Amino acid sequence: MSSVAFIYDPIFLKHNTGSYHPESSARLESILEAIEPFKEKLLWLKPSPGLLDVISEVHPSFHIDRIEQASLDQEAIDADTQLSSDSYDAALMAVGAGVEAINAISAEKAHHAFCAVRPPGHHATSTQAMGFCLFNNIAITARYAQAMGYEKVMIIDFDVHHGNGTQDIFYEDSSVFYFSSHQYPAYPGSGAGHERGRGDGEGFTHNFPLQTYSQDEDILPIYEDDLLEDIESFQPDIILVSAGYDLHINDPLAQLQITTEGIAKIVEAIMRHSSVPKIFMLEGGYNLHALGDSVAQTLEVMLEHT
Ligand SMILES: [Zn+2]
């Protein structure tokens, strides 16, 4: 039995964003190819579609209905966010992957999990799909984790873009800590250092904006030092990671200069700081070679920490 679950379903390949869209099914194909040499070390699990009552913990029914209708109509929500006839089913399954990860960890089938999903989720607010994201997979996973007894959830987001949706959903909530590093300023515009939460959530959001062209030496102290401090003070019961690989130096959509080795060190720090279960949920990453390599590195580091 492997102690790292790899959660994937071929329906994710059928979310068709059109020709030339960077968020394409080729991304997952490159990940599958890169992990081929050690795939038997992973516990492969297929999710079930996310149930509407689970999704409703984050998104009101009109948002769920809108995604279903946009998928039927094969329409675009905005210039970036195109749906095809299978997009709704893929989006439900992406949510289901997070649910499957929590269930597998709760049942002690796995210590940690990696959800290789698309569409991604961290830009989706409770009421607005945007930035390639339809449902906020990681926010829904956080709420499901809480329903399963993991009361304090930490979300770490190393995607090059700020997870505005995730931040927004938990901005006034002290039970979910949102920790993000990202290029700034950049899409979607949020994520300044002074955004620290509001009301009960004050102090439970921590943003680390990084200048364009920042390198490994600029980002690693955030994960070596600041993250450790926040984990020690918050004491999470589970850690969810918005794993976006568009921070890579070769990514075409942004301008950070983080190497594959640097990404492995970020993952290593996340794994080392705390012994609680970790669930990685794929977000961005648009250079196919860099994405495959970086996810393979992530899984190798996860396997070393079980
Ligand atoms: Zn991104």
Side-chain angles (χ1 to χ4, degrees), residues 1-6 39-45 104-105 107-112 303 306:
M1 184 194 80
S2 169
S3 45
V4 176
F6 185 82
K39 68 175 183 184
E40 73 286 349
K41 291 186 187 169
L42 304 165
L43 173 67
W44 286 67
L45 296 176
I105 288 167
E108 299 184 346
K109 285 200 279 182
H111 291 115
H112 309 296
L303 284 163
T306 52

Side-chain angles (χ1 to χ4, degrees), residues 5 16 26 28 67 100 134 150 161 202 235 262-263 286 293 295:
N16 183 357
L28 289 182
I67 300 302
E100 181 66 28
L134 305 181
Y150 300 96
H161 304 101
E202 177 92 47
Q235 295 285 323
I263 292 171
Y286 306 100
D293 270 3
V295 171

Side-chain angles (χ1 to χ4, degrees), residues 206-221:
H206 204 171
N207 283 302
F208 295 86
L210 287 160
Q211 290 180 346
T212 306
Y213 307 123
S214 290
Q215 302 182 6
D216 290 3
E217 68 222 47
D218 303 308
I219 200 170
L220 287 174

